[in-house]
Amino acid sequence: QVTRVVLSERNLADVEAEDLEFFTRLQFLDLGDNEMPLHLLAPLVALTELRLHCNAMRAISPDIEGAFLRLEVLDLSYNALDAESVARLSALPNLRELDLTCNALAELPSPDAMEAFRRLEVLILERNHIESDLALVALAQAPRLRELNLSFNYVRRMPRDA
């Protein structure tokens, strides 16, 4: 049975949830350069890595709560997500690596929201608009964060609390 699928640059914006239920062993899915919302992929119960870069996403639906229980790696780079959407991703219980490169993020979730990322180890925030010391203090609350990429942001100094 299929475990890896790449469907990038196909102008995909919708899927039939009933059809996805047949892919019970799909672990890797690359839907880069489409217009696919994250929540529509929730029926893919075995998914451990998902790439949704360049999908014109502006928000993450609250419908992801209770879904993606095995997802460990999520690439949402080159979208337009806001801090509230990033906070919603904390509902993914096994998320270890999150790429949010080029989302025009100026703010990050609150410290309490960042603390909810219980398993997050790698966070890539390259090429956003982060400049606030408070953002760094919030990031310091992610309990397992060991690798943080803030390249090409506007951070000028590291606060003591971070």
PDB file of all heavy atoms in Angstrom, residues 103-137:
ATOM      1  N   ASN A 103       6.200  33.516   6.335  1.00  0.00           N
ATOM      2  CA  ASN A 103       4.771  33.660   6.568  1.00  0.00           C
ATOM      3  C   ASN A 103       4.395  35.088   6.930  1.00  0.00           C
ATOM      4  O   ASN A 103       3.263  35.348   7.291  1.00  0.00           O
ATOM      5  CB  ASN A 103       4.304  32.695   7.668  1.00  0.00           C
ATOM      6  CG  ASN A 103       3.847  31.372   7.106  1.00  0.00           C
ATOM      7  OD1 ASN A 103       2.703  31.217   6.718  1.00  0.00           O
ATOM      8  ND2 ASN A 103       4.748  30.417   7.040  1.00  0.00           N
ATOM      9  N   ALA A 104       5.355  36.003   6.868  1.00  0.00           N
ATOM     10  CA  ALA A 104       5.141  37.407   7.231  1.00  0.00           C
ATOM     11  C   ALA A 104       4.670  37.553   8.673  1.00  0.00           C
ATOM     12  O   ALA A 104       3.924  38.466   9.015  1.00  0.00           O
ATOM     13  CB  ALA A 104       4.173  38.082   6.267  1.00  0.00           C
ATOM     14  N   LEU A 105       5.107  36.635   9.534  1.00  0.00           N
ATOM     15  CA  LEU A 105       4.745  36.689  10.948  1.00  0.00           C
ATOM     16  C   LEU A 105       5.472  37.847  11.628  1.00  0.00           C
ATOM     17  O   LEU A 105       6.696  37.905  11.618  1.00  0.00           O
ATOM     18  CB  LEU A 105       5.135  35.391  11.655  1.00  0.00           C
ATOM     19  CG  LEU A 105       4.303  34.163  11.347  1.00  0.00           C
ATOM     20  CD1 LEU A 105       5.008  32.910  11.814  1.00  0.00           C
ATOM     21  CD2 LEU A 105       2.937  34.283  11.994  1.00  0.00           C
ATOM     22  N   ALA A 106       4.718  38.744  12.228  1.00  0.00           N
ATOM     23  CA  ALA A 106       5.306  39.818  13.014  1.00  0.00           C
ATOM     24  C   ALA A 106       5.200  39.496  14.497  1.00  0.00           C
ATOM     25  O   ALA A 106       5.987  39.961  15.303  1.00  0.00           O
ATOM     26  CB  ALA A 106       4.609  41.135  12.719  1.00  0.00           C
ATOM     27  N   GLU A 107       4.218  38.685  14.835  1.00  0.00           N
ATOM     28  CA  GLU A 107       3.992  38.275  16.220  1.00  0.00           C
ATOM     29  C   GLU A 107       3.946  36.759  16.287  1.00  0.00           C
ATOM     30  O   GLU A 107       3.678  36.092  15.286  1.00  0.00           O
ATOM     31  CB  GLU A 107       2.670  38.837  16.733  1.00  0.00           C
ATOM     32  CG  GLU A 107       2.612  40.332  16.795  1.00  0.00           C
ATOM     33  CD  GLU A 107       1.265  40.827  17.288  1.00  0.00           C
ATOM     34  OE1 GLU A 107       0.441  40.005  17.732  1.00  0.00           O
ATOM     35  OE2 GLU A 107       1.035  42.036  17.221  1.00  0.00           O
ATOM     36  N   LEU A 108       4.168  36.255  17.499  1.00  0.00           N
ATOM     37  CA  LEU A 108       4.062  34.819  17.757  1.00  0.00           C
ATOM     38  C   LEU A 108       3.003  34.607  18.825  1.00  0.00           C
ATOM     39  O   LEU A 108       2.587  35.551  19.491  1.00  0.00           O
ATOM     40  CB  LEU A 108       5.416  34.280  18.218  1.00  0.00           C
ATOM     41  CG  LEU A 108       6.494  34.277  17.143  1.00  0.00           C
ATOM     42  CD1 LEU A 108       7.824  33.821  17.722  1.00  0.00           C
ATOM     43  CD2 LEU A 108       6.107  33.405  15.968  1.00  0.00           C
ATOM     44  N   PRO A 109       2.576  33.374  19.012  1.00  0.00           N
ATOM     45  CA  PRO A 109       1.598  33.107  20.073  1.00  0.00           C
ATOM     46  C   PRO A 109       2.141  33.517  21.447  1.00  0.00           C
ATOM     47  O   PRO A 109       3.341  33.667  21.634  1.00  0.00           O
ATOM     48  CB  PRO A 109       1.395  31.592  19.995  1.00  0.00           C
ATOM     49  CG  PRO A 109       1.783  31.227  18.612  1.00  0.00           C
ATOM     50  CD  PRO A 109       2.883  32.181  18.238  1.00  0.00           C
ATOM     51  N   SER A 110       1.247  33.637  22.391  1.00  0.00           N
ATOM     52  CA  SER A 110       1.606  34.012  23.757  1.00  0.00           C
ATOM     53  C   SER A 110       2.507  32.950  24.385  1.00  0.00           C
ATOM     54  O   SER A 110       2.570  31.814  23.905  1.00  0.00           O
ATOM     55  CB  SER A 110       0.334  34.140  24.591  1.00  0.00           C
ATOM     56  OG  SER A 110      -0.224  32.847  24.794  1.00  0.00           O
ATOM     57  N   PRO A 111       3.187  33.284  25.477  1.00  0.00           N
ATOM     58  CA  PRO A 111       3.995  32.272  26.169  1.00  0.00           C
ATOM     59  C   PRO A 111       3.186  31.030  26.564  1.00  0.00           C
ATOM     60  O   PRO A 111       3.669  29.912  26.432  1.00  0.00           O
ATOM     61  CB  PRO A 111       4.514  33.019  27.401  1.00  0.00           C
ATOM     62  CG  PRO A 111       4.601  34.445  26.949  1.00  0.00           C
ATOM     63  CD  PRO A 111       3.398  34.619  26.045  1.00  0.00           C
ATOM     64  N   ASP A 112       1.951  31.221  27.027  1.00  0.00           N
ATOM     65  CA  ASP A 112       1.112  30.063  27.389  1.00  0.00           C
ATOM     66  C   ASP A 112       0.828  29.185  26.182  1.00  0.00           C
ATOM     67  O   ASP A 112       0.842  27.961  26.279  1.00  0.00           O
ATOM     68  CB  ASP A 112      -0.213  30.523  28.001  1.00  0.00           C
ATOM     69  CG  ASP A 112      -0.035  31.121  29.383  1.00  0.00           C
ATOM     70  OD1 ASP A 112       1.019  30.874  30.012  1.00  0.00           O
ATOM     71  OD2 ASP A 112      -0.950  31.838  29.838  1.00  0.00           O
ATOM     72  N   ALA A 113       0.570  29.806  25.053  1.00  0.00           N
ATOM     73  CA  ALA A 113       0.306  29.041  23.830  1.00  0.00           C
ATOM     74  C   ALA A 113       1.556  28.296  23.384  1.00  0.00           C
ATOM     75  O   ALA A 113       1.483  27.147  22.942  1.00  0.00           O
ATOM     76  CB  ALA A 113      -0.195  29.954  22.726  1.00  0.00           C
ATOM     77  N   MET A 114       2.713  28.912  23.502  1.00  0.00           N
ATOM     78  CA  MET A 114       3.963  28.241  23.104  1.00  0.00           C
ATOM     79  C   MET A 114       4.275  27.073  24.034  1.00  0.00           C
ATOM     80  O   MET A 114       4.831  26.072  23.616  1.00  0.00           O
ATOM     81  CB  MET A 114       5.129  29.231  23.080  1.00  0.00           C
ATOM     82  CG  MET A 114       5.076  30.210  21.924  1.00  0.00           C
ATOM     83  SD  MET A 114       4.913  29.461  20.268  1.00  0.00           S
ATOM     84  CE  MET A 114       6.368  28.455  20.176  1.00  0.00           C
ATOM     85  N   GLU A 115       3.890  27.201  25.284  1.00  0.00           N
ATOM     86  CA  GLU A 115       4.112  26.110  26.241  1.00  0.00           C
ATOM     87  C   GLU A 115       3.309  24.867  25.857  1.00  0.00           C
ATOM     88  O   GLU A 115       3.683  23.744  26.189  1.00  0.00           O
ATOM     89  CB  GLU A 115       3.737  26.573  27.646  1.00  0.00           C
ATOM     90  CG  GLU A 115       4.152  25.614  28.727  1.00  0.00           C
ATOM     91  CD  GLU A 115       3.886  26.158  30.122  1.00  0.00           C
ATOM     92  OE1 GLU A 115       3.297  27.239  30.269  1.00  0.00           O
ATOM     93  OE2 GLU A 115       4.289  25.462  31.078  1.00  0.00           O
ATOM     94  N   ALA A 116       2.222  25.056  25.138  1.00  0.00           N
ATOM     95  CA  ALA A 116       1.375  23.938  24.712  1.00  0.00           C
ATOM     96  C   ALA A 116       2.025  23.082  23.621  1.00  0.00           C
ATOM     97  O   ALA A 116       1.557  21.981  23.344  1.00  0.00           O
ATOM     98  CB  ALA A 116       0.019  24.454  24.239  1.00  0.00           C
ATOM     99  N   PHE A 117       3.093  23.576  23.003  1.00  0.00           N
ATOM    100  CA  PHE A 117       3.827  22.778  22.017  1.00  0.00           C
ATOM    101  C   PHE A 117       4.722  21.802  22.781  1.00  0.00           C
ATOM    102  O   PHE A 117       5.928  21.983  22.889  1.00  0.00           O
ATOM    103  CB  PHE A 117       4.669  23.681  21.100  1.00  0.00           C
ATOM    104  CG  PHE A 117       3.881  24.379  20.042  1.00  0.00           C
ATOM    105  CD1 PHE A 117       3.387  25.658  20.252  1.00  0.00           C
ATOM    106  CD2 PHE A 117       3.635  23.763  18.820  1.00  0.00           C
ATOM    107  CE1 PHE A 117       2.668  26.321  19.269  1.00  0.00           C
ATOM    108  CE2 PHE A 117       2.912  24.417  17.830  1.00  0.00           C
ATOM    109  CZ  PHE A 117       2.427  25.694  18.059  1.00  0.00           C
ATOM    110  N   ARG A 118       4.146  20.772  23.319  1.00  0.00           N
ATOM    111  CA  ARG A 118       4.814  19.851  24.245  1.00  0.00           C
ATOM    112  C   ARG A 118       5.982  19.082  23.633  1.00  0.00           C
ATOM    113  O   ARG A 118       6.932  18.754  24.323  1.00  0.00           O
ATOM    114  CB  ARG A 118       3.816  18.853  24.805  1.00  0.00           C
ATOM    115  CG  ARG A 118       2.746  19.502  25.618  1.00  0.00           C
ATOM    116  CD  ARG A 118       3.149  19.522  27.063  1.00  0.00           C
ATOM    117  NE  ARG A 118       2.113  20.151  27.849  1.00  0.00           N
ATOM    118  CZ  ARG A 118       2.342  21.183  28.641  1.00  0.00           C
ATOM    119  NH1 ARG A 118       3.533  21.686  28.741  1.00  0.00           N
ATOM    120  NH2 ARG A 118       1.352  21.695  29.326  1.00  0.00           N
ATOM    121  N   ARG A 119       5.912  18.764  22.351  1.00  0.00           N
ATOM    122  CA  ARG A 119       6.956  17.937  21.735  1.00  0.00           C
ATOM    123  C   ARG A 119       7.781  18.657  20.680  1.00  0.00           C
ATOM    124  O   ARG A 119       8.672  18.068  20.086  1.00  0.00           O
ATOM    125  CB  ARG A 119       6.322  16.701  21.112  1.00  0.00           C
ATOM    126  CG  ARG A 119       5.674  15.806  22.156  1.00  0.00           C
ATOM    127  CD  ARG A 119       5.931  14.370  21.844  1.00  0.00           C
ATOM    128  NE  ARG A 119       5.600  13.545  22.976  1.00  0.00           N
ATOM    129  CZ  ARG A 119       4.646  12.656  22.997  1.00  0.00           C
ATOM    130  NH1 ARG A 119       3.918  12.462  21.919  1.00  0.00           N
ATOM    131  NH2 ARG A 119       4.422  11.934  24.063  1.00  0.00           N
ATOM    132  N   LEU A 120       7.501  19.911  20.449  1.00  0.00           N
ATOM    133  CA  LEU A 120       8.193  20.656  19.398  1.00  0.00           C
ATOM    134  C   LEU A 120       9.678  20.806  19.722  1.00  0.00           C
ATOM    135  O   LEU A 120      10.041  21.332  20.770  1.00  0.00           O
ATOM    136  CB  LEU A 120       7.559  22.036  19.221  1.00  0.00           C
ATOM    137  CG  LEU A 120       8.051  22.840  18.024  1.00  0.00           C
ATOM    138  CD1 LEU A 120       7.651  22.147  16.709  1.00  0.00           C
ATOM    139  CD2 LEU A 120       7.490  24.251  18.072  1.00  0.00           C
ATOM    140  N   GLU A 121      10.528  20.314  18.817  1.00  0.00           N
ATOM    141  CA  GLU A 121      11.977  20.367  18.994  1.00  0.00           C
ATOM    142  C   GLU A 121      12.653  21.312  18.004  1.00  0.00           C
ATOM    143  O   GLU A 121      13.673  21.915  18.328  1.00  0.00           O
ATOM    144  CB  GLU A 121      12.578  18.966  18.828  1.00  0.00           C
ATOM    145  CG  GLU A 121      12.123  17.981  19.866  1.00  0.00           C
ATOM    146  CD  GLU A 121      12.652  16.579  19.614  1.00  0.00           C
ATOM    147  OE1 GLU A 121      13.451  16.385  18.667  1.00  0.00           O
ATOM    148  OE2 GLU A 121      12.259  15.666  20.361  1.00  0.00           O
ATOM    149  N   VAL A 122      12.093  21.432  16.799  1.00  0.00           N
ATOM    150  CA  VAL A 122      12.690  22.251  15.746  1.00  0.00           C
ATOM    151  C   VAL A 122      11.629  23.228  15.229  1.00  0.00           C
ATOM    152  O   VAL A 122      10.552  22.808  14.820  1.00  0.00           O
ATOM    153  CB  VAL A 122      13.208  21.376  14.580  1.00  0.00           C
ATOM    154  CG1 VAL A 122      13.761  22.232  13.462  1.00  0.00           C
ATOM    155  CG2 VAL A 122      14.232  20.365  15.074  1.00  0.00           C
ATOM    156  N   LEU A 123      11.967  24.505  15.272  1.00  0.00           N
ATOM    157  CA  LEU A 123      11.058  25.533  14.787  1.00  0.00           C
ATOM    158  C   LEU A 123      11.836  26.456  13.852  1.00  0.00           C
ATOM    159  O   LEU A 123      12.830  27.066  14.244  1.00  0.00           O
ATOM    160  CB  LEU A 123      10.485  26.335  15.954  1.00  0.00           C
ATOM    161  CG  LEU A 123       9.518  27.463  15.600  1.00  0.00           C
ATOM    162  CD1 LEU A 123       8.333  26.947  14.780  1.00  0.00           C
ATOM    163  CD2 LEU A 123       9.028  28.142  16.873  1.00  0.00           C
ATOM    164  N   ILE A 124      11.371  26.540  12.604  1.00  0.00           N
ATOM    165  CA  ILE A 124      12.028  27.358  11.593  1.00  0.00           C
ATOM    166  C   ILE A 124      11.130  28.562  11.310  1.00  0.00           C
ATOM    167  O   ILE A 124      10.022  28.412  10.793  1.00  0.00           O
ATOM    168  CB  ILE A 124      12.298  26.548  10.314  1.00  0.00           C
ATOM    169  CG1 ILE A 124      13.112  25.295  10.665  1.00  0.00           C
ATOM    170  CG2 ILE A 124      13.017  27.411   9.278  1.00  0.00           C
ATOM    171  CD1 ILE A 124      13.146  24.248   9.577  1.00  0.00           C
ATOM    172  N   LEU A 125      11.613  29.728  11.686  1.00  0.00           N
ATOM    173  CA  LEU A 125      10.878  30.982  11.519  1.00  0.00           C
ATOM    174  C   LEU A 125      11.637  31.953  10.616  1.00  0.00           C
ATOM    175  O   LEU A 125      11.471  33.165  10.698  1.00  0.00           O
ATOM    176  CB  LEU A 125      10.648  31.626  12.892  1.00  0.00           C
ATOM    177  CG  LEU A 125       9.678  30.895  13.800  1.00  0.00           C
ATOM    178  CD1 LEU A 125       9.772  31.420  15.219  1.00  0.00           C
ATOM    179  CD2 LEU A 125       8.264  31.007  13.267  1.00  0.00           C
ATOM    180  N   GLU A 126      12.436  31.417   9.760  1.00  0.00           N
ATOM    181  CA  GLU A 126      13.280  32.213   8.877  1.00  0.00           C
ATOM    182  C   GLU A 126      12.431  33.127   7.982  1.00  0.00           C
ATOM    183  O   GLU A 126      11.346  32.766   7.558  1.00  0.00           O
ATOM    184  CB  GLU A 126      14.100  31.244   8.020  1.00  0.00           C
ATOM    185  CG  GLU A 126      15.160  31.869   7.191  1.00  0.00           C
ATOM    186  CD  GLU A 126      16.008  30.812   6.492  1.00  0.00           C
ATOM    187  OE1 GLU A 126      16.004  29.641   6.897  1.00  0.00           O
ATOM    188  OE2 GLU A 126      16.664  31.174   5.522  1.00  0.00           O
ATOM    189  N   ARG A 127      12.955  34.332   7.712  1.00  0.00           N
ATOM    190  CA  ARG A 127      12.363  35.276   6.764  1.00  0.00           C
ATOM    191  C   ARG A 127      10.918  35.661   7.103  1.00  0.00           C
ATOM    192  O   ARG A 127      10.030  35.632   6.255  1.00  0.00           O
ATOM    193  CB  ARG A 127      12.441  34.741   5.342  1.00  0.00           C
ATOM    194  CG  ARG A 127      13.863  34.567   4.874  1.00  0.00           C
ATOM    195  CD  ARG A 127      13.950  34.102   3.433  1.00  0.00           C
ATOM    196  NE  ARG A 127      15.307  33.746   3.089  1.00  0.00           N
ATOM    197  CZ  ARG A 127      16.256  34.607   2.763  1.00  0.00           C
ATOM    198  NH1 ARG A 127      16.011  35.886   2.732  1.00  0.00           N
ATOM    199  NH2 ARG A 127      17.474  34.183   2.467  1.00  0.00           N
ATOM    200  N   ASN A 128      10.703  36.027   8.369  1.00  0.00           N
ATOM    201  CA  ASN A 128       9.430  36.595   8.790  1.00  0.00           C
ATOM    202  C   ASN A 128       9.693  38.048   9.190  1.00  0.00           C
ATOM    203  O   ASN A 128      10.685  38.618   8.756  1.00  0.00           O
ATOM    204  CB  ASN A 128       8.832  35.759   9.926  1.00  0.00           C
ATOM    205  CG  ASN A 128       8.158  34.507   9.400  1.00  0.00           C
ATOM    206  OD1 ASN A 128       7.102  34.571   8.791  1.00  0.00           O
ATOM    207  ND2 ASN A 128       8.778  33.354   9.615  1.00  0.00           N
ATOM    208  N   HIS A 129       8.819  38.624   9.997  1.00  0.00           N
ATOM    209  CA  HIS A 129       8.972  40.022  10.410  1.00  0.00           C
ATOM    210  C   HIS A 129       9.058  40.135  11.931  1.00  0.00           C
ATOM    211  O   HIS A 129       8.571  41.104  12.514  1.00  0.00           O
ATOM    212  CB  HIS A 129       7.808  40.865   9.875  1.00  0.00           C
ATOM    213  CG  HIS A 129       7.678  40.816   8.395  1.00  0.00           C
ATOM    214  ND1 HIS A 129       8.614  41.369   7.540  1.00  0.00           N
ATOM    215  CD2 HIS A 129       6.742  40.245   7.600  1.00  0.00           C
ATOM    216  CE1 HIS A 129       8.240  41.155   6.292  1.00  0.00           C
ATOM    217  NE2 HIS A 129       7.107  40.473   6.298  1.00  0.00           N
ATOM    218  N   ILE A 130       9.656  39.161  12.553  1.00  0.00           N
ATOM    219  CA  ILE A 130       9.738  39.122  14.013  1.00  0.00           C
ATOM    220  C   ILE A 130      10.825  40.075  14.492  1.00  0.00           C
ATOM    221  O   ILE A 130      11.968  40.001  14.047  1.00  0.00           O
ATOM    222  CB  ILE A 130      10.028  37.682  14.489  1.00  0.00           C
ATOM    223  CG1 ILE A 130       8.898  36.757  14.022  1.00  0.00           C
ATOM    224  CG2 ILE A 130      10.202  37.636  15.998  1.00  0.00           C
ATOM    225  CD1 ILE A 130       9.222  35.298  14.117  1.00  0.00           C
ATOM    226  N   GLU A 131      10.435  40.946  15.413  1.00  0.00           N
ATOM    227  CA  GLU A 131      11.419  41.867  15.968  1.00  0.00           C
ATOM    228  C   GLU A 131      11.261  42.058  17.472  1.00  0.00           C
ATOM    229  O   GLU A 131      12.172  42.505  18.145  1.00  0.00           O
ATOM    230  CB  GLU A 131      11.368  43.219  15.255  1.00  0.00           C
ATOM    231  CG  GLU A 131      10.053  43.942  15.361  1.00  0.00           C
ATOM    232  CD  GLU A 131      10.082  45.254  14.595  1.00  0.00           C
ATOM    233  OE1 GLU A 131      10.817  46.161  15.010  1.00  0.00           O
ATOM    234  OE2 GLU A 131       9.375  45.347  13.581  1.00  0.00           O
ATOM    235  N   SER A 132      10.148  41.685  18.021  1.00  0.00           N
ATOM    236  CA  SER A 132       9.844  41.932  19.423  1.00  0.00           C
ATOM    237  C   SER A 132      10.604  40.992  20.364  1.00  0.00           C
ATOM    238  O   SER A 132      10.699  39.791  20.119  1.00  0.00           O
ATOM    239  CB  SER A 132       8.340  41.755  19.648  1.00  0.00           C
ATOM    240  OG  SER A 132       8.042  41.685  21.013  1.00  0.00           O
ATOM    241  N   ASP A 133      11.080  41.572  21.462  1.00  0.00           N
ATOM    242  CA  ASP A 133      11.695  40.758  22.518  1.00  0.00           C
ATOM    243  C   ASP A 133      10.672  39.791  23.106  1.00  0.00           C
ATOM    244  O   ASP A 133      11.009  38.694  23.530  1.00  0.00           O
ATOM    245  CB  ASP A 133      12.215  41.651  23.644  1.00  0.00           C
ATOM    246  CG  ASP A 133      13.377  42.516  23.208  1.00  0.00           C
ATOM    247  OD1 ASP A 133      13.841  42.369  22.057  1.00  0.00           O
ATOM    248  OD2 ASP A 133      13.824  43.329  24.025  1.00  0.00           O
ATOM    249  N   LEU A 134       9.406  40.216  23.142  1.00  0.00           N
ATOM    250  CA  LEU A 134       8.351  39.369  23.710  1.00  0.00           C
ATOM    251  C   LEU A 134       8.175  38.077  22.925  1.00  0.00           C
ATOM    252  O   LEU A 134       7.843  37.043  23.498  1.00  0.00           O
ATOM    253  CB  LEU A 134       7.025  40.131  23.759  1.00  0.00           C
ATOM    254  CG  LEU A 134       7.014  41.372  24.651  1.00  0.00           C
ATOM    255  CD1 LEU A 134       5.682  42.096  24.533  1.00  0.00           C
ATOM    256  CD2 LEU A 134       7.307  40.998  26.087  1.00  0.00           C
ATOM    257  N   ALA A 135       8.419  38.113  21.646  1.00  0.00           N
ATOM    258  CA  ALA A 135       8.335  36.899  20.826  1.00  0.00           C
ATOM    259  C   ALA A 135       9.377  35.892  21.281  1.00  0.00           C
ATOM    260  O   ALA A 135       9.104  34.693  21.381  1.00  0.00           O
ATOM    261  CB  ALA A 135       8.522  37.228  19.355  1.00  0.00           C
ATOM    262  N   LEU A 136      10.562  36.368  21.589  1.00  0.00           N
ATOM    263  CA  LEU A 136      11.622  35.469  22.036  1.00  0.00           C
ATOM    264  C   LEU A 136      11.315  34.902  23.419  1.00  0.00           C
ATOM    265  O   LEU A 136      11.608  33.741  23.693  1.00  0.00           O
ATOM    266  CB  LEU A 136      12.962  36.195  22.039  1.00  0.00           C
ATOM    267  CG  LEU A 136      13.427  36.671  20.664  1.00  0.00           C
ATOM    268  CD1 LEU A 136      14.725  37.451  20.783  1.00  0.00           C
ATOM    269  CD2 LEU A 136      13.598  35.515  19.710  1.00  0.00           C
ATOM    270  N   VAL A 137      10.727  35.704  24.270  1.00  0.00           N
ATOM    271  CA  VAL A 137      10.324  35.219  25.594  1.00  0.00           C
ATOM    272  C   VAL A 137       9.265  34.128  25.429  1.00  0.00           C
ATOM    273  O   VAL A 137       9.309  33.103  26.107  1.00  0.00           O
ATOM    274  CB  VAL A 137       9.807  36.379  26.468  1.00  0.00           C
ATOM    275  CG1 VAL A 137       9.197  35.859  27.765  1.00  0.00           C
ATOM    276  CG2 VAL A 137      10.938  37.351  26.766  1.00  0.00           C
TER     277      VAL A 137
END
